[in-house]
Amino acid sequence: MAETERSIFSRIIAGEIPADVVYDSERLIAFRDIAPKAPVHLLVVPKTEEYRDVAELAAGDPELLAELVATAKHLAEEHSDGDFRLIFNTGAGAGQTVFHVHAHVMSANDRGHSLQEGTLDQL
Ligand code: AMP
C-alpha cells in the first residue's frame, strides 16, 4: 500500500510514529488518545487496516471484534475501576476522522475523576 494511503494508526503500529502504548498483542494495539476527552481515554486498534469501521469489522471478523471488546474491559480494569464507555465513531458525520477501525475506551481515573453523562456528546 502506498505511504499516503496508510492510516496514522498503521504508522503507529509500525513504530514510525511514537505513541503511549498500553497494550500490544498479536492482533491488537492500544495507546492513549493524544487529545483525551475523559480522565482515561485509550484507543484499541486492530493491527490490520482492512476494516474502516466497526460495522465492517463485525461483518468481516466478529472474533476480532469480540477480542477488542474483551481487551477494552481488561484495560478498564487495569487503568480504572472496570467501568467504561466504549465508542466507535462510524462515518465522518458521526465524528470519525481516522478510517482504520478503533474503539475509544473512556473511563474514570483512580483520583476520583469520573465520567459525566454530558461527555457523551463531546466525541
Ligand atoms: P475518531 O475521531 O473516532 O476517528 O478518533 C480518532 C482519534 O485518534 C481522536 O480522538 C484523536 O485524538 C486520536 N489521534 C489522532 N492521532 C493520534 C496519535 N498520533 N496518537 C494518539 N491518538 C491520536
Side-chain angles (χ1 to χ4, degrees), residues 8-9 12 17-19 31-35 37 41 43 89 95-98 102 104 123:
I8 187 153
F9 294 161
I12 288 173
I17 294 178
F31 46 88
R32 293 185 194 279
D33 195 294
I34 203 167
K37 306 282 195 307
H41 186 170
L43 300 175
N89 292 325
Q96 187 175 5
T97 57
V98 179
H102 55 281
H104 296 258
L123 265 182

Side-chain angles (χ1 to χ4, degrees), residues 63-76:
E63 279 184 18
L64 182 54
L65 175 57
E67 188 180 331
L68 185 157
V69 174
T71 299
K73 175 177 160 58
H74 157 80
L75 288 169

Side-chain angles (χ1 to χ4, degrees), residues 40-91:
V40 174
H41 186 170
L42 308 174
L43 300 175
V44 186
V45 186
K47 288 187 173 176
T48 175
E49 65 175 13
E50 186 177 351
Y51 307 108
R52 287 167 54 87
D53 58 46
V54 68
E56 287 191 5
L57 178 61
D61 194 341
E63 279 184 18
L64 182 54
L65 175 57
E67 188 180 331
L68 185 157
V69 174
T71 299
K73 175 177 160 58
H74 157 80
L75 288 169
E77 286 165 351
E78 193 175 286
H79 291 266
S80 182
D81 60 2
D83 292 346
F84 62 103
R85 184 174 290 163
L86 194 61
I87 295 175
F88 294 90
N89 292 325
T90 305

